[in-house]
Amino acid sequence: MKKIFFSKKIEITIRLVDIKEITYLNKKYRRKNIPTNVLSFPSTENINIKHKFYNYIGDIILCPNYINKEALLLKKDRLEHWAHMVIHSTLHLLHYTHNNKKSRNKMQNIEKEIMIKLGFRNPYKYHI
């Protein structure tokens, strides 16, 4: 397996929010007035606190109610789906996208590799 991440340590902020707040954030930052499972906000700044340098890559906002209902609807294991959401959103913080077929395939292949390495199934291969 090829190395996916940087060799340096990174830091992210993860927030859990309700449906109302994720809808508000999605409307404000993506102009979509609907709830969503996760939002990623990449950062270009690094943080230097008490002589320690952190490679801060951004914020992940997760909506537990939405993610849990989505896992149920997709007939996915809840923990497995949560792992996928965190991996997916972290890759967005690392500037991976799925805006076109090539970038989507690249990002999904990395997601599959990480999920399998962690002992989970391919998140894109399931039956409804």
Side-chain angles (χ1 to χ4, degrees):
M1 183 171 150
K2 65 182 181 271
K3 189 171 187 175
I4 296 168
F5 294 105
F6 303 110
S7 59
K8 45 189 164 176
K9 294 179 181 178
I10 62 171
E11 184 171 312
I12 60 177
T13 299
I14 297 178
R15 284 189 61 227
L16 304 177
V17 300
D18 61 18
I19 294 284
K20 184 177 179 181
E21 186 169 355
I22 200 83
T23 302
Y24 168 78
L25 293 170
N26 202 21
K27 181 179 180 183
K28 182 175 181 178
Y29 294 103
R30 295 181 64 224
R31 295 180 184 91
K32 295 183 179 184
N33 192 22
I34 56 172
T36 188
N37 48 18
V38 62
L39 293 169
S40 299
F41 297 96
S43 175
T44 57
E45 299 179 20
N46 289 306
I47 300 172
N48 190 353
I49 302 172
K50 294 184 182 181
H51 309 291
K52 289 188 178 183
F53 184 74
Y54 294 93
N55 293 298
Y56 175 70
I57 62 170
D59 300 332
I60 295 172
I61 314 297
L62 298 157
C63 182
N65 288 344
Y66 194 100
I67 294 169
N68 292 337
K69 287 179 184 176
E70 189 174 54
L72 189 62
L73 178 71
L74 297 173
K75 299 181 180 174
K76 288 186 168 187
D77 176 79
R78 190 184 296 182
L79 178 61
E80 193 168 62
H81 191 51
W82 271 87
H84 181 221
M85 292 298 95
V86 171
I87 291 164
H88 181 88
S89 55
T90 301
L91 289 174
H92 278 308
L93 296 182
L94 294 170
H95 306 289
Y96 287 92
T97 65
H98 42 80
N99 298 336
N100 58 54
K101 187 176 181 179
K102 184 178 178 181
S103 65
R104 182 179 58 248
N105 287 341
K106 183 176 183 178
M107 186 171 176
Q108 287 181 354
N109 285 336
I110 294 170
E111 289 174 83
K112 290 176 207 175
E113 285 183 50
I114 296 170
M115 289 290 287
I116 289 166
K117 187 172 184 178
L118 292 174
F120 295 113
R121 296 175 293 173
N122 174 347
Y124 296 102
K125 196 172 190 177
Y126 58 90
H127 303 284
I128 295 179

